[in-house]
Amino acid sequence: MTSIEDAQKLIESNRFGSGGFSDHTPVYEYTTEDIGNSIGHYTSKDRILTVLSSGDHVFNYLLRGAENIEAFDLNVITKYYYKLKRAIIEKLPFEEFLKETSNLVPYGLAHLDELNLDEETYTFWNFYRDNQPEDRYERALLKVFPSGSKRYNLYFNADSYKRLQDILKSGINIPFHHSNTLSLHKSITGEFSEINLSSIYSLIPKKDIPKVIRKLKPHLTKEGQILFYSFWRADDKQYRKLHLVGKEINPEDNIYTYTKSKLK
């Protein structure tokens, strides 16, 4: 599917309603997860696979030292939003970015020709701008911006923002896999130090989570781990039977991690 077809499907989703998450629906403007307090510190040797969503997972991993990052998402629109958001961060000084915090898509569309975008991304947003009424521009987003979002993201700090800006301007590439979680293992190759499945616990049937984890096990390094966030507390008894006992690393937000050495 071309970028114009992707944009058209997003516009249709805006018009008729999506009925939930799918491959062409509005994306989260910012994360609703406490990423900054749930991920660790990394080196250039670490290979990371993370959900793309709002792009904030990628940005926070970069600020924690990761350089080799790949992203995945069921929703292909996340790819276009990540690149638009990235280009805006590259362009704006921190104080100006704060002024546009809740206005990123309208700002991006108004300054599209000034942003550092690849042809595919430019074509997507240019078509969206030309075929979506201006008062509906923000329908590309799920505008969930709780009070904690600035705390959740490391880049809402002048020094960290400048560091992220420099990293992004260096041209670092983030490969994207258009895939749902259940078939993710078919889309990736090699081993990862960390696989971040985000809120998988609330997006697929609970019974399928151990299946997903087992399928991803061959893609973990010896000390690699799988991390996911849950809106509800996990049932340890279920996972204990499957030798998938999780370690709760952030009780407030129910973030769990599984290490390869514990996956039998």
Side-chain angles (χ1 to χ4, degrees):
M1 189 169 289
T2 68
S3 57
I4 288 178
E5 291 171 325
D6 285 334
Q8 183 63 55
K9 287 184 74 70
L10 175 60
I11 292 170
E12 291 172 359
S13 170
N14 292 164
R15 187 177 302 144
F16 301 115
S18 62
F21 291 103
S22 71
D23 55 358
H24 290 87
T25 52
V27 303
Y28 281 110
E29 185 175 34
Y30 295 94
T31 184
T32 60
E33 303 168 23
D34 193 356
I35 306 171
N37 288 324
S38 62
I39 65 174
H41 293 268
Y42 309 90
T43 70
S44 59
K45 295 181 180 180
D46 290 308
R47 189 169 178 231
I48 305 296
L49 176 66
T50 182
V51 68
L52 185 54
S53 190
S54 66
D56 286 341
H57 288 75
V58 168
F59 298 146
N60 283 280
Y61 273 110
L62 288 172
L63 284 170
R64 282 291 175 80
E67 297 178 12
N68 191 351
I69 304 172
E70 296 181 24
F72 74 93
D73 210 287
L74 163 66
N75 187 356
V76 72
I77 305 302
T78 60
K79 173 182 69 172
Y80 299 109
Y81 178 59
Y82 158 74
K83 290 182 178 180
L84 182 73
K85 188 175 182 179
R86 170 177 175 160
I88 292 171
I89 291 174
E90 289 181 15
K91 179 181 188 297
L92 293 181
F94 181 62
E95 293 302 325
E96 290 186 34
F97 177 80
L98 289 183
K99 293 176 184 177
E100 303 296 342
T101 292
S102 296
N103 191 47
L104 291 187
V105 168
Y107 175 87
L109 296 183
H111 298 83
L112 205 57
D113 293 332
E114 304 168 24
L115 299 177
N116 181 25
L117 297 171
D118 59 69
E119 183 177 357
E120 180 187 52
T121 306
Y122 179 89
T123 300
F124 174 91
W125 287 111
N126 189 51
F127 183 89
Y128 184 84
R129 178 181 62 182
D130 291 347
N131 293 274
Q132 180 81 306
E134 188 172 348
D135 62 353
R136 294 186 179 183
Y137 282 173
E138 291 193 342
R139 293 194 180 188
L141 301 175
L142 293 173
K143 294 185 69 63
V144 180
F145 192 59
S147 59
S149 284
K150 291 185 179 181
R151 175 173 59 87
Y152 294 165
N153 284 302
L154 299 171
Y155 64 87
F156 276 98
N157 165 283
D159 292 339
S160 295
Y161 181 89
K162 180 61 170 64
R163 193 155 56 86
L164 176 61
Q165 203 175 45
D166 291 342
I167 294 169
L168 297 177
K169 286 182 177 181
S170 73
I172 192 164
N173 180 47
I174 309 296
F176 175 72
H177 304 276
H178 183 203
S179 173
N180 63 38
T181 311
L182 287 169
S183 59
L184 181 58
H185 64 287
K186 298 178 183 178
S187 301
I188 57 177
T189 59
E191 297 180 339
F192 295 87
S193 307
E194 185 162 294
I195 299 176
N196 191 325
L197 299 179
S198 183
S199 54
I200 177 180
Y201 200 84
S202 61
L203 298 176
I204 69 171
K206 185 177 179 180
K207 64 180 177 61
D208 288 334
I209 295 177
K211 185 189 306 183
V212 170
I213 292 175
R214 281 197 175 122
K215 287 181 177 179
L216 290 174
K217 177 182 175 181
H219 292 285
L220 289 174
T221 60
K222 183 177 180 180
E223 298 301 322
Q225 66 175 8
I226 296 172
L227 183 150
F228 73 83
Y229 167 93
S230 169
F231 289 108
W232 301 280
R233 300 184 70 82
D235 179 357
D236 282 348
K237 289 183 180 179
Q238 176 183 356
Y239 296 108
R240 192 172 294 116
K241 284 182 182 178
L242 298 161
H243 307 287
L244 299 174
V245 182
K247 174 189 175 187
E248 187 176 81
I249 60 173
N250 189 323
E252 181 182 347
D253 284 327
N254 294 339
I255 298 170
Y256 295 80
T257 181
Y258 294 95
T259 58
K260 184 171 185 176
S261 59
K262 292 182 181 179
L263 300 176
K264 299 182 180 179

